[in-house]
Amino acid sequence: MTTMTLAHLNDTSEDVTQRPPLVLGDNDFASITEKVCSAVEMTRTPKIWWVLFGISSSVMTMLLALIGYLFYTGVGVWGVNNPVGWGFAIVNFVFWVGIGHAGTLISAILYLFRQKWRTGINRFAEAMTIFAVICALVFPGIHVGRVWMVWFLFPIPDQQLWMWPNFRSPLLWDVFAVGTYFTVSLLFWYMGLLPDIATLRDRAKTKLRETVYGVFALGWRSSNRHWSRYERAYLILAALATPLVLSVHSVVSFDFAVSQLPGWHTTIFPPYFVAGAIFSGFAMVVFLAAIARKIYGLQEIITLRHLENMNKIILATGSMVGYAYGMEFFIAWYGGNPYESFAFASRAFGPYWWAYWIMVSCNVICPQLYWFKKIRTSVPAMMVIAFFVNVGMWFERFVITVTSLSADFLPSSWDMYWPTWVDVCTLIGSFGLFFTLFLLFIRWLPMVAMAEVKSIMPQAHAHGHSTGSAAGMAPSKPKIAEVVG
Amino acid sequence: MCRKTSEGPFDDREDTVSAPNRAIDLSGEQITLGPVGDRVTRIAGAIGVLGLVATALLGMQGGVEGQARAMNSYLVAFCFFLSIMLGALFFTLIQHVTRAGWSVVLRRFAEAIAANAPLMAVLALPILVPIALGRDLLYVWTSSEALAHDHLMAGKVGFLNPTFFLIRMVVYFGAWSLMGSWFFRKSVEQDTSGDPNLTVKMQSASAPGLFVFAITLTFASLDLLMSLEPNWFSTMFGVYFFAGSALAFFATLPIVSYFTQKAGRLVGLISREHYHDMGKFVFAFIVFWAYIAFSQYMLYWYANIPEETVWFLRRQTGQWESLSWLLLFGHFIVPFLALISRIPKRAKGTLIVGAFWMLLMHYADLYYVAMPHLSEGVIPLSLMDLTAMLGVGGFFVASVATRLRNRSLVPQRDPRLHESLAFENF
């Protein structure tokens, strides 16, 4: 790797006569195993990891302390009021669920579309999905005033208390939608990890490592029968996860859209929320991938082309979000409902105008820079844009939630909403939780799906066609000895 | 990702064309329509003329009411074929933007259908000319009398007025004609020059093309269909029309492939693997259409606001209710269950039956959108519905056949043709 020049690492050419190799450099199966496993097996953890872990776990501790404070004192410590009964808690919930959309899209939908480049990035994108959903699930859990009643969220049949929850409430649909999504994503992720955990087990130098990885490898021996089952299960899980990618944020959007509140009640909400979720999820993946590939020297596996492809998806989904903003505005006028047109005018020019224009400039204008190849292949530029996209998507949820609630039909019931320091620090704390989990993941588990990456390398092709057939030929499975490495 | 497996009922590779190094017949007879194209043009053209004349004659008989009825039949037929053309344009654009390899042998069909855009502009004249002449046969907002009585509709006059409407139509059809013709021309040019730079050019044009496509399709659907009931509105409507359009094209594609192969063309080039993939897209867009239709319906049903539910209420009153049920089962539940397995997608026969059924359901969907404003509680089936379909459809098919008569049916020197010929589903 040290002999590689920068030019070799740029694989973003537009040569249409042949597909670029998916893994760069002079890699074979053994070197892939070596590179990916070294991040997990290194005896001395890099200093930068400790620094980042120290920061994020401290921030996570702040989150825990604030949750304790909230439970002890009550939701009065937040800025929620009447009429804005939904404040940061729902904004953060929708934001984090949105972040959790890229992983399963990459592992399920891109798999069904035979997008082989996804193998380089799917593992940690999936991990990110799971951690983001965990962050999201914190908020519905803590936002109820009487936390000891939180089990009311779940549909526990209880004949005596007559306590079936209201199945007509979209908040209950959320429990099902997010719960299902989390379960399937976790299974998908874990199943994909099995061959790689087995590799770690077989390479383990200490008894403890061997035992722990051995338990989690579930007896994986890379036999032909294992692979056969594995591939069948992968396809089935991909098919099940694909509708879930769309359903989760659709159901989240129903929380708003089934109501009669101007600005919330509009039919484009489901696909618009899904597009926004994928948009923010990919921005987060790009941001983290750009850092991780540098620190762990994985530029030949997570290549510039991966990042460019994701930036194109960000451009596409960002524009879909812009389309939805435009349609909402147009129909607010076209529909002729004065409350609706007021809601939108007030978003753009009312007391929260600044939030609205942060949202528009970050979500709609900023990704348009990706029309320029120079920008979408420049790592610093994409990190800045990805950061702004996530800022913009957080503000989108803020704008939707707060502007509509704070000024509805009756001016006498209007009120402004301002977050308290507890609100703001809880939001920051949730990032601490996310990054703590993420850092633990890259320390203990392979962040690249080794077995899958090997399957798309030329060495895996049965007849040794090395170029020109990358997308056309069916790769055979890597040989057992090589997988174990 | 493709992986090879080999197991009993699915092991149908012996009759596909997936042997890696087999010789592919790209001789003229295999890949051009030739005399078959002439025959199709003649027959379809004759049907087209007869259909349009019959529609006009039947419409004339009924006075103003009959004319309005004929116009509505014509609008549904027009939107049906327009949606197939737009679906084809979408397919062409999306294949380029994703640098797709699997679809190369099918892309020429899409390009040829998308190049029908100028024809659709001409066929739009029967809708546009009466509006330009101040007749209010189709859209209630063109009637000054109706505007005087409807305060809500009058508020939209800045958008819904004949002049602006016609300007918008010029923009839509202009944009589609430019894109449809350009992609067809460049692709055909590559057949002779073999220049890979043409692929680069088409790829670069496809991304901005999709932007133009999304905006024009959305507003065209609002103008042509949603404004039939101008007081009703839905932010989802453009996406709903798009879902139907994409589905209509994906159902058309296997049908066109099948009949082309039946005529002895492209035999061995379009394989069972391609039918399987087309079947997957039909299936995917059945689900996508249902997702969009459900979201639109459920959100209005749940909030239960009169000015929004009125549109659905009309479609659940009297005979229209049966059409609503037909769409639920015929457009979603039955085909969803029928196509979920890989077996029917890989068996040409069942896939073609399914594709024809989906086209019928797409027609039912457009009828469901465009007709109920005419008749309360009664489905006004008329012979004109059939003649209008034959009229527009005849010209549509004749035009595609003419375009392909002497041209290659596959982009034969596309740099990714070999990928399309070699790929396999696992």
Side-chain angles (χ1 to χ4, degrees):
Chain A
M1 188 200 89
T2 43
T3 56
M4 297 297 297
T5 61
L6 266 176
H8 280 96
L9 289 175
N10 188 347
D11 57 339
T12 60
S13 87
E14 289 288 341
D15 184 3
V16 296
T17 54
Q18 59 174 6
R19 301 281 182 186
L22 293 158
V23 176
L24 302 179
D26 203 11
N27 281 298
D28 55 16
F29 292 164
S31 72
I32 294 287
T33 308
E34 207 52 53
K35 274 179 193 158
V36 177
C37 288
S38 69
V40 182
E41 290 169 345
M42 51 178 64
T43 41
R44 288 196 49 192
T45 312
K47 262 208 195 81
I48 176 89
W49 188 91
W50 281 113
V51 172
L52 293 172
F53 185 75
I55 298 171
S56 48
S57 58
S58 317
V59 176
M60 182 185 73
T61 314
M62 176 176 77
L63 173 72
L64 296 177
L66 286 170
I67 292 175
Y69 177 54
L70 172 81
F71 287 177
Y72 185 77
T73 319
V75 283
V77 300
W78 285 351
V80 285
N81 59 22
N82 197 354
V84 188
W86 274 3
F88 265 37
I90 188 108
V91 174
N92 298 344
F93 166 72
V94 181
F95 171 77
W96 279 115
V97 176
I99 298 287
H101 268 64
T104 310
L105 183 119
I106 291 169
S107 49
I109 296 186
L110 294 188
Y111 173 76
L112 295 183
F113 278 116
R114 299 194 285 260
Q115 297 297 308
K116 293 177 180 177
W117 58 276
R118 73 179 190 100
T119 54
I121 50 170
N122 71 344
R123 168 69 46 73
F124 73 84
E126 282 176 53
M128 229 189 65
T129 289
I130 290 157
F131 306 144
V133 175
I134 290 173
C135 289
L137 287 173
V138 167
F139 290 96
I142 64 170
H143 91 292
V144 286
R146 289 174 287 172
V147 278
W148 53 95
M149 294 296 198
V150 77
W151 53 281
F152 272 41
L153 285 171
F154 299 97
I156 302 159
D158 186 324
Q159 297 294 319
Q160 283 175 335
L161 295 171
W162 200 245
M163 261 229 344
W164 276 93
N166 187 353
F167 283 100
R168 282 173 292 187
S169 161
L171 298 178
L172 183 68
W173 309 344
D174 260 0
V175 175
F176 287 107
V178 182
T180 313
Y181 185 65
F182 182 72
T183 314
V184 173
S185 299
L186 187 67
L187 280 174
F188 207 2
W189 180 64
Y190 180 53
M191 205 199 71
L193 268 168
L194 287 178
D196 289 355
I197 295 180
T199 305
L200 286 172
R201 172 200 63 200
D202 296 344
R203 291 166 56 96
K205 298 259 179 354
T206 66
K207 193 76 200 153
L208 179 66
R209 280 182 84 93
E210 195 186 333
T211 314
V212 173
Y213 284 119
V215 167
F216 283 104
L218 300 183
W220 180 269
R221 290 287 179 276
S222 267
S223 75
N224 203 7
R225 182 179 296 196
H226 284 177
W227 278 111
S228 176
R229 296 267 190 279
Y230 173 90
E231 294 188 352
R232 181 53 63 89
Y234 203 101
L235 179 62
I236 291 171
L237 276 174
L240 287 174
T242 296
L244 287 175
V245 176
L246 285 123
S247 70
V248 179
H249 236 56
S250 297
V251 172
V252 169
S253 82
F254 291 162
D255 293 348
F256 301 92
V258 294
S259 72
Q260 298 178 336
L261 199 64
W264 285 9
H265 178 60
T266 173
T267 49
I268 206 167
F269 254 39
Y272 150 45
F273 265 51
V274 172
I278 294 165
F279 178 55
S280 64
F282 269 92
M284 192 64 112
V285 175
V286 166
F287 192 79
L288 295 181
I291 300 172
R293 73 198 270 273
K294 179 96 180 124
I295 294 177
Y296 289 99
L298 296 171
Q299 289 101 324
E300 292 170 5
I301 302 172
I302 303 169
T303 67
L304 204 53
R305 199 179 184 86
H306 285 99
L307 300 175
E308 191 196 3
N309 282 347
M310 289 194 277
N311 289 338
K312 286 179 180 171
I313 295 176
I314 290 173
L315 171 59
T317 47
S319 305
M320 286 181 203
V321 168
Y323 168 94
Y325 295 162
M327 277 314 283
E328 280 185 329
F329 251 89
F330 174 71
I331 296 289
W333 170 80
Y334 180 91
N337 180 338
Y339 295 104
E340 198 72 28
S341 36
F342 169 79
F344 281 92
S346 133
R347 269 186 195 179
F349 308 109
Y352 291 106
W353 62 271
W354 46 272
Y356 183 84
W357 293 106
I358 290 175
M359 162 185 114
V360 169
S361 35
C362 290
N363 291 350
V364 185
I365 300 168
C366 172
Q368 301 303 322
L369 292 170
Y370 283 150
W371 283 107
F372 305 102
K373 193 179 174 82
K374 265 226 169 73
I375 294 178
R376 64 172 189 261
T377 53
S378 146
V379 175
M382 70 179 81
M383 287 186 67
V384 173
I385 292 176
F387 175 78
F388 278 125
V389 165
N390 274 316
V391 170
M393 283 311 291
W394 189 87
F395 270 96
E396 179 194 296
R397 281 63 177 251
F398 178 85
V399 166
I400 291 171
T401 309
V402 173
T403 59
S404 284
L405 283 172
S406 71
D408 63 358
F409 301 97
L410 210 57
S412 62
S413 60
W414 292 0
D415 201 359
M416 291 291 284
Y417 166 85
W418 298 109
T420 62
W421 67 271
V422 182
D423 281 310
V424 176
C425 292
T426 308
L427 169 63
I428 296 169
S430 66
F431 280 90
L433 172 61
F434 178 78
F435 284 110
T436 305
L437 291 170
F438 189 78
L439 285 164
L440 287 174
F441 156 71
I442 57 174
R443 181 67 191 82
W444 297 108
L445 288 169
M447 73 182 105
V448 170
M450 293 181 276
E452 288 194 58
V453 167
K454 287 170 193 167
S455 77
I456 49 119
M457 289 168 71
Q459 288 90 330
H461 290 207
H463 304 292
H465 291 271
S466 55
T467 53
S469 56
M473 292 299 298
S476 61
K477 275 160 267 171
K479 291 197 184 73
I480 296 161
E482 287 162 330
V483 171
V484 180
Chain B
M1 191 188 288
C2 308
R3 292 194 182 108
K4 276 182 185 163
T5 57
S6 146
E7 57 242 274
F10 302 140
D11 195 10
D12 44 24
R13 262 176 285 143
E14 65 279 2
D15 70 338
T16 64
V17 287
S18 46
N21 296 319
R22 102 209 105 75
I24 294 157
D25 180 11
L26 283 177
S27 63
E29 223 158 76
Q30 245 283 70
I31 59 162
T32 51
L33 279 181
V36 178
D38 288 331
R39 210 161 57 238
V40 172
T41 306
R42 271 200 306 277
I43 297 170
I47 293 175
V49 173
L50 287 176
L52 287 193
V53 171
T55 314
L57 289 177
L58 288 168
M60 295 296 183
Q61 283 177 348
V64 177
E65 212 168 285
Q67 288 172 27
R69 183 68 195 73
M71 288 299 293
N72 274 279
S73 292
Y74 187 80
L75 179 72
V76 176
F78 177 78
C79 286
F80 181 83
F81 288 99
L82 179 70
S83 65
I84 293 177
M85 183 229 105
L86 289 171
L89 183 58
F90 169 71
F91 183 84
T92 310
L93 292 168
I94 206 82
Q95 301 313 311
H96 282 304
V97 93
T98 56
R99 281 79 170 127
W102 73 276
S103 59
V104 174
V105 294
L106 304 168
R107 212 183 59 226
R108 184 56 51 82
F109 291 136
E111 289 162 348
I113 295 174
N116 260 359
L119 171 79
M120 294 315 288
V122 175
L123 288 173
L125 290 178
I127 298 167
L128 303 183
V129 170
I131 294 175
L133 296 176
R135 302 282 311 272
D136 53 351
L137 290 172
L138 202 50
Y139 297 103
V140 63
W141 50 263
T142 53
S143 147
S144 46
E145 198 187 329
L147 278 173
H149 291 108
D150 193 327
H151 168 70
L152 190 55
M153 198 158 74
K156 307 182 186 193
V157 105
F159 183 74
L160 291 179
N161 63 70
T163 316
F164 193 23
F165 182 87
L166 294 171
I167 292 173
R168 288 199 299 274
M169 289 295 151
V170 171
V171 173
Y172 308 147
F173 284 98
W176 298 333
S177 302
L178 276 178
M179 286 197 281
S181 314
W182 189 83
F183 277 96
F184 182 73
R185 216 172 46 240
K186 288 291 150 192
S187 181
V188 168
E189 202 180 311
Q190 198 177 44
D191 288 348
T192 44
S193 74
D195 182 4
N197 279 327
L198 288 167
T199 302
V200 177
K201 269 189 193 154
M202 287 189 278
Q203 285 177 357
S204 320
S206 60
L210 275 171
F211 269 64
V212 176
F213 171 82
I215 292 165
T216 49
L217 173 135
T218 303
F219 280 93
S221 71
L222 302 187
D223 283 336
L224 288 169
L225 293 169
M226 199 171 90
S227 83
L228 287 167
E229 288 168 66
N231 286 345
W232 187 78
F233 52 88
S234 167
T235 41
M236 187 79 111
F237 198 84
V239 186
Y240 182 76
F241 182 71
F242 162 73
S245 301
L247 175 59
F249 174 73
F250 279 117
T252 306
L253 194 56
I255 294 174
V256 174
S257 309
Y258 176 76
F259 284 106
T260 308
Q261 289 194 304
K262 225 172 163 203
R265 308 298 194 272
L266 303 186
V267 178
L269 270 78
I270 302 175
S271 72
R272 182 169 293 210
E273 307 300 326
H274 294 110
Y275 283 99
H276 186 180
D277 272 6
M278 290 187 261
K280 289 180 199 169
F281 275 108
V282 174
F283 179 76
F285 276 91
I286 287 170
V287 179
F288 184 68
W289 176 90
Y291 163 63
I292 298 296
F294 170 77
S295 300
Q296 181 168 270
Y297 182 87
M298 194 278 283
L299 291 175
Y300 277 176
W301 168 80
Y302 198 109
N304 206 11
I305 298 173
E307 66 250 35
E308 294 171 351
T309 50
V310 60
W311 197 84
F312 289 109
L313 203 56
R314 187 171 289 141
R315 283 153 182 78
Q316 282 169 214
T317 307
Q319 293 175 356
W320 290 112
E321 193 184 347
S322 47
L323 186 55
S324 299
W325 285 109
L326 176 70
L327 285 180
L328 175 60
F329 282 90
H331 204 304
F332 174 55
I333 295 176
V334 174
F336 172 80
L337 295 173
L339 283 178
I340 202 165
S341 152
R342 63 185 264 145
I343 299 164
K345 285 181 287 216
R346 291 177 75 83
K348 255 183 242 177
T350 46
L351 180 63
I352 300 304
V353 171
F356 270 115
W357 175 255
M358 288 325 297
L359 284 179
L360 183 66
M361 283 302 109
H362 179 57
Y363 182 79
D365 181 29
L366 289 171
Y367 205 87
Y368 166 90
V369 168
M371 283 292 188
H373 78 108
L374 263 191
S375 106
E376 201 85 32
V378 180
I379 298 181
L381 278 180
S382 141
L383 190 58
M384 286 181 279
D385 295 331
L386 183 66
T387 56
M389 279 296 282
L390 292 175
V392 181
F395 281 109
F396 195 84
V397 173
S399 161
V400 175
T402 313
R403 193 165 297 121
L404 288 179
R405 187 173 43 198
N406 293 319
R407 294 190 176 106
S408 172
L409 291 168
V410 284
Q412 48 177 320
R413 296 180 73 181
D414 186 289
R416 295 187 183 121
L417 180 65
H418 64 278
E419 284 183 24
S420 184
L421 295 171
F423 93 95
E424 271 182 67
N425 287 288
F426 50 92

